[in-house]
Amino acid sequence: MKARLLITEPEGPGRKPYRLALAPEEFDLRFEASGERCLECAFEWAPSCVLLDIELPGIGGLETCRILKSDPRTRRIPVLFVSANAGKAEIVAGLKSGADDFLAKPFHPTELLWRVRALLRRYQSSAPSQESVLEIGPIRVDSEQGLAQVSGRAVRLTPKEFALLETFMRRPERVIKRSCLLETVWGYDSAVRPRVVDLTLFRLRRKLGEAGLLLETLPGFGYRLRKK
């Protein structure tokens, strides 16, 4: 599974060095241009690592890092500052804000790659193992076996239906936006239309029977799996 990297960098040539250093075979890259958009994306997309600049429009990089590291949803996500403002004072301030590492711009592509890999290894080795079996109400999924059950009865799901159900099972009672589901389940494939979420959810509800009523659509907000 590819690591998700959330990078704060405005539109333009500044994004090219990241794309050269971080191969698409190993990483999914998502760029945001402001601290506000970075936080919104981090809460919805659940990146594997965040690459922050000190200078950001709106909420600055230091405050963005403090928020990420203080929120239960994101505090275990490693943060790497990548900034042209890399004096001693900036580096100290970045680390005090909760960042895990600091890299000066311009950077060598190989150094950025290995810094990111080192952070990912460090956090993955200390992270608690993710549960493979999840149960909510009558619904049970086994991610290792790719099995879904309702009240002990096996339910045959397509890979996308299973991935969609597992996404909800791992975030019960949380409202998930359509854009987040497209990113998580379909990877924002350009050939996929947003309407596919509704169609896949419709088929999933039908296969789950009465348990499918736990999957709610909240118009204008997103979708949610209720526990009961």
Side-chain angles (χ1 to χ4, degrees), residues 79-157:
V79 174
L80 168 63
F81 269 110
V82 185
S83 180
N85 296 328
K88 183 177 179 180
E90 285 77 20
I91 293 174
V92 170
L95 296 177
K96 280 186 175 181
S97 72
D100 300 272
D101 201 356
F102 202 112
L103 179 63
K105 290 181 180 178
F107 52 80
H108 191 283
T110 302
E111 183 176 8
L112 175 65
L113 173 63
W114 285 104
R115 293 278 191 110
V116 169
R117 284 177 174 173
L119 281 178
L120 292 174
R121 282 197 303 271
R122 186 195 311 170
Y123 271 75
Q124 288 167 357
S125 64
S126 62
S129 58
Q130 194 174 54
E131 292 183 35
S132 60
V133 178
L134 303 167
E135 293 190 59
I136 293 178
I139 305 173
R140 182 179 189 272
V141 298
D142 186 329
S143 58
E144 287 188 0
Q145 300 295 323
L147 299 175
Q149 294 178 315
V150 174
S151 300
R153 172 182 60 85
V155 180
R156 293 179 62 114
L157 301 177

Side-chain angles (χ1 to χ4, degrees), residues 4-225:
R4 298 178 174 187
L5 304 185
L6 172 56
I7 304 168
T8 55
E9 182 69 33
E11 284 278 1
R15 295 185 178 184
K16 184 177 180 180
Y18 292 100
R19 293 193 172 100
L20 291 175
L22 305 165
E25 295 80 12
E26 185 176 354
F27 303 102
D28 278 331
L29 305 185
R30 182 158 173 179
F31 293 92
E32 298 294 350
S34 69
E36 289 88 344
R37 287 292 302 138
C38 175
L39 291 171
E40 183 178 337
C41 179
F43 295 144
E44 293 182 0
W45 192 48
S48 309
C49 183
V50 176
L51 281 63
L52 276 176
D53 200 338
I54 290 282
E55 298 294 333
L56 292 175
I59 301 176
L62 296 175
E63 183 61 22
T64 299
C65 184
R66 292 188 191 99
I67 294 172
L68 288 172
K69 287 299 187 177
S70 63
D71 193 291
R73 295 170 291 178
T74 54
R75 63 188 175 198
R76 287 200 54 79
I77 298 175
V79 174
L80 168 63
F81 269 110
V82 185
S83 180
N85 296 328
K88 183 177 179 180
E90 285 77 20
I91 293 174
V92 170
L95 296 177
K96 280 186 175 181
S97 72
D100 300 272
D101 201 356
F102 202 112
L103 179 63
K105 290 181 180 178
F107 52 80
H108 191 283
T110 302
E111 183 176 8
L112 175 65
L113 173 63
W114 285 104
R115 293 278 191 110
V116 169
R117 284 177 174 173
L119 281 178
L120 292 174
R121 282 197 303 271
R122 186 195 311 170
Y123 271 75
Q124 288 167 357
S125 64
S126 62
S129 58
Q130 194 174 54
E131 292 183 35
S132 60
V133 178
L134 303 167
E135 293 190 59
I136 293 178
I139 305 173
R140 182 179 189 272
V141 298
D142 186 329
S143 58
E144 287 188 0
Q145 300 295 323
L147 299 175
Q149 294 178 315
V150 174
S151 300
R153 172 182 60 85
V155 180
R156 293 179 62 114
L157 301 177
T158 67
K160 293 300 185 189
E161 290 165 353
F162 187 89
L164 187 62
L165 178 59
E166 184 183 3
T167 299
F168 283 115
M169 295 284 283
R170 293 196 182 281
R171 306 179 191 180
E173 299 290 354
R174 286 182 56 184
V175 177
I176 307 176
K177 292 184 178 180
R178 178 186 288 171
S179 59
C180 181
L181 293 174
L182 281 169
E183 187 72 45
T184 303
V185 179
W186 284 271
Y188 263 132
D189 186 333
S190 59
V192 174
R193 298 181 179 180
R195 181 67 175 166
V196 76
V197 174
D198 301 300
L199 296 174
T200 306
L201 188 61
F202 172 78
R203 293 195 299 267
L204 177 59
R205 283 192 183 113
R206 187 170 57 185
K207 290 183 178 181
L208 294 177
E210 289 188 8
L213 297 174
L214 295 176
L215 288 167
E216 292 185 326
T217 298
L218 304 174
F221 293 93
Y223 312 86
R224 174 176 63 187
L225 172 64

